[in-house]
Amino acid sequence: MVLAKILGKIVGDTNEKEIKKIQPLIEKINVIEEQYQQDLSETDIPAKTESFKQRIADGESLENLLPEAFALVKFACKKLVGKQWEVRGNEATWDMVPYDVQLIGGIILHQGRIAEMKTGEGKTLVCTMPVYLNALTGKGVHVVTVNDYLATRDAEWMGGLYKFLGLTVGVIAHGQSQAQKKAAYEADITYGTNNEFGFDYLRDNMATEKERRVQRGLNYAIVDEVDSILVDEARTPLIISAPAEESTGKYTKYAHLIGQLVENTHYNIDEKAKTAVLSEEGIKKMEELLNVENIYTDAGFEEVHHIEQALKAKTVYKRDTDYVVQEGEVMIVDEFTGRLMPGRRFSQGLHQAIEAKENVQIQRESKTLATITFQNYFRLFKKLAGMTGTALTEAEEFATIYHLDTFVIPTHKPVTRKDLPDTVYKNTQGKYMAIAKKVKELNTKGQPVLVGTVSVEKSETLSKLLTMQGIPHKVLNAKHHQKEAEIVSGAGKKGGVTIATNMAGRGTDIKLGEDVIELGGLYIIGTERHESRRIDNQLRGRSGRQGDPGISQFYISMEDDIMRLFGSEGIQNMMEKLGVPDDMPIENRIISRSIESAQKKVEGRNFDIRKHLVEYDDAMNTHRDIIYRRRNEILDHEDLHEGILELLDKEANDIVMSHADLQSRDKWNYKEMAEILSNIHRDSVHHMDESELASHKESDPLIKIAQTYLRKEYAEKEASIGNPELMRQVERAVSLRVIDTLWMQHIDEMSKLREKVSLRGYGQRDPLIEYKNEAFQMFTELSREIQQQTVTTIFRVQVRRAQEEARIAPVVAPEKLSTNKDVTVINADVPTPGMDTTLQKLMAGAPDLNKLQTNAPSGSSLDATQHADKMGRNDPCSCGSGKKYKKCCGA
């Protein structure tokens, strides 16, 4: 406790010093803005912007230009007051001019930091100043919001200001055409959601032509509701996937079998970790039901995995809390916002297990084609900043993972909201009755009430109770989210009663209606504490905006999840023994401290999980960066011929060195060298002469001979095609195809490696070190395979001359791919890469290309698992050579 106070004081002192340091800059901005009022008219503003752009192009720093740029934004805001333009289909009148505290917030954001600003303090306006300044570089600025509604609203509302200043604004949204997205990214300022920005990044790195990429460099991003995106959603990776061919019948089978198990006999539930584990009795029961002796050896890893997912679906994931069922479809509910997540799916077969449990149509599992976490996507930006009403509790995480400092921006007017102590009840029934009584009392006098719940189920339970009491109200949850902004914005009207899940905590101001200030402002009732103090603070923050009065209070039951899971049994037993009535409230410091302690424990545990995820994902991030850079180099270079010749030289070197044991020249295998070199170009009439190789006892001349042979064969290959331009296109298509095919397999193998090393802790080995070591070896092998398969494939490609124009199919050729957010299968329209332009001669005969071609139905994909006879890449080759399949007939 003492340490926490010391740390709190250090943070507070640092914050205060930083604000004081910025103060002279604020004064300078205001002096310049006053001068603009005398010297400039509104028609001069765009020319001033052009002047700023030129100064930056000539080498002036953004820091030096900041006071003038911020002052121009403030001046433009004053000139716009009273002007109207359309926002979301309605005429809106501009009425905002930045206060000094908003200037402070803008400077913090420009510096690449996080600004904590209370609800109603005008974060949307604050970000316009750093956005304008950084957009002057011409490198683009991303403004990231949590949903499409806010992205479009803010782009339209702030777009009027940016256009007035002489800048262009774009907004990206799901379902846009490639041309629309490209235009939006080419604008000076681009608004969009974290999902769409991330998916566009992945899609760009699957493109087979540079013209199909839509994003430009990741220069500067401001993330609105930064804690929601970089903390709450950090553990959910974005995934682009395609359906696999696996049967869905097994999910129904295991759902039926799991239904025959009994809790505490056959399995045990760990609610804190959200897992369920079979006991010894449970394992025996499953072996009996499946008629096998040992499920771990007879059924195999995959089947055991599906058993575990079916158990988790039945016991841990709850309808109307973790998901809802709408129109025969299981839809995930975001635990932090309460919003539905349309199209997203739980990964690793869990979603299918829930579909089987709910007896709805089971969709096939997906194969990952590209993936990245939000943590790693946003760390790609040269400069990153964020704003939110609640960041300080996560300051350590922002600093550790993203290297972002957090600063609390002073409010324009003092906060007058009263945050009352929690009232605690013995059980849920007593708590709900007390809430209904309080709501009725407030509603009778006309004071508006916002009641916050943690799940859809609980919001509907409370709604039924208020209906029984005759209290008119509105419900906002994942089932009734279409009019979210309208319902939330009206929650401050006199006599209004609104029940909402956590979605009410984001994005829309609640303005007080007439006569509400005299009644005490908006009254916030929290029906239970969330795992995170930050979510509780968001709910409180809906009241008391811009100095308005307000009250907040949480109603707690000893049966609430956080109390039940984190040691409230002793207090509850004491209340039972003392005969405390259900509806009697208790205010006790020990209980309040135990709640806060429980929240801190959960926050700490979740932070550790996210930090652990980053440590593992860093290895994959390095691999991704190298592969994507290699892809972009291929796309950006018109002529890859020299690069292909270098690959031929490297492959020749590797073939020689892998069969030349430098420790013992007697063991050099000249025959194998000659056979492998000859086999690379199967159609050639020239074969590598073993005797020519055997006449040399040094490796360097051998390598030179091998390199000369491959280069000569390659020249003949090109001559046989008879069209150098077409050969350049073939080189590009093959290079991309091999990289994409092997990268897709590498993603899958890395995922399996992660599961495999997790068990090594039992052998006193650090799983993270084991993972990094093996990941390095796997990536080394991947690089080697990319080289080998590119060389082999490019020799075996045959151009079918029957058509004047033709194509090379990419690794994935559906008209639609699935885009995934851990959870996800958001159907995103992805143009078929490389199928309609560029290469136009049908290529056939290259094994690696043809293996992946199937007559997949529209909307599905080419399945990389469909190798000959379902043979694994690392299995012994069926030809009897003794080599791995990938090194032999699979090459």
Side-chain angles (χ1 to χ4, degrees), residues 280-330:
E280 287 297 323
E281 286 297 316
I283 293 169
K284 288 178 185 175
K285 180 71 173 175
M286 285 306 299
E287 289 168 346
E288 178 188 318
L289 293 171
L290 290 167
N291 195 27
V292 296
E293 286 188 22
N294 187 319
I295 58 173
Y296 292 95
T297 56
D298 297 355
F301 174 79
E302 289 293 327
E303 299 308 303
V304 172
H305 171 74
H306 288 303
I307 292 169
E308 291 170 345
Q309 295 293 62
L311 181 62
K312 192 188 290 188
K314 179 195 177 210
T315 59
V316 180
Y317 283 78
K318 298 172 184 173
R319 184 168 177 165
D320 289 341
T321 298
D322 300 296
Y323 63 90
V324 298
V325 178
Q326 285 190 351
E327 298 178 359
E329 186 178 350
V330 172

Side-chain angles (χ1 to χ4, degrees), residues 634 637-645 647-648 714 717-718 721 724-738 790 794 797 808 839 843:
I634 292 169
H637 284 79
E638 292 296 323
D639 190 338
L640 298 178
H641 188 59
E642 285 304 316
I644 295 295
L645 293 180
L647 279 186
L648 294 180
Y714 193 66
K717 174 72 181 179
E718 182 171 339
I721 289 177
E725 185 181 342
L726 179 59
M727 193 62 188
R728 301 294 80 80
Q729 294 176 345
V730 169
E731 287 168 349
R732 173 175 287 101
V734 169
S735 298
L736 289 173
R737 185 57 179 276
V738 169
T790 301
I794 213 160
V797 164
I808 292 182
L839 236 191
M843 282 178 27

Side-chain angles (χ1 to χ4, degrees), residues 211 397 496:
E211 293 78 15
E397 182 161 350

Side-chain angles (χ1 to χ4, degrees), residues 416-524:
T416 59
R417 183 189 67 243
K418 294 178 183 174
D419 296 327
L420 302 178
D422 298 346
T423 59
V424 184
Y425 295 83
K426 187 171 73 176
N427 55 39
T428 304
Q429 182 181 343
K431 177 182 73 173
Y432 276 11
M433 294 305 294
I435 289 171
K437 182 179 177 183
K438 184 66 178 179
V439 170
K440 189 160 191 173
E441 173 195 321
L442 295 167
N443 185 246
T444 302
K445 71 173 186 174
Q447 186 170 3
V449 188
L450 175 64
V451 185
T453 66
V454 296
S455 70
V456 174
E457 180 187 31
K458 289 173 181 176
S459 68
E460 294 186 340
T461 300
L462 196 56
S463 175
K464 289 174 186 174
L465 184 57
L466 294 189
T467 301
M468 289 168 60
Q469 298 277 340
I471 304 169
H473 62 278
K474 291 182 178 178
V475 178
L476 176 60
N477 61 32
K479 290 184 177 178
H480 313 94
H481 65 283
Q482 292 85 353
K483 296 184 177 180
E484 175 184 342
E486 181 185 328
I487 293 173
V488 174
S489 62
K493 293 178 180 176
K494 188 174 181 179
V497 176
T498 308
I499 300 172
T501 46
N502 293 324
M503 63 201 313
R506 296 287 187 186
T508 306
D509 264 357
I510 300 178
K511 296 183 180 179
L512 300 183
E514 290 183 23
D515 304 325
V516 170
I517 289 178
E518 291 75 16
L519 294 170
L522 179 64
Y523 202 113
I524 300 288

Side-chain angles (χ1 to χ4, degrees), residues 174 199 239-243 329 332 341-347 351-352 363-367 817-828:
H174 179 62
F199 282 134
I239 300 171
I240 291 183
S241 61
E329 186 178 350
I332 297 169
M341 301 163 86
R344 296 188 188 177
R345 295 176 64 79
F346 293 114
S347 59
H351 208 95
Q352 287 82 357
Q363 299 180 28
R364 286 183 298 169
E365 281 194 62
S366 300
K367 184 166 186 67
L817 294 174
S818 296
T819 45
N820 226 305
K821 192 177 169 299
D822 172 39
V823 264
T824 309
V825 173
I826 299 170
N827 285 324

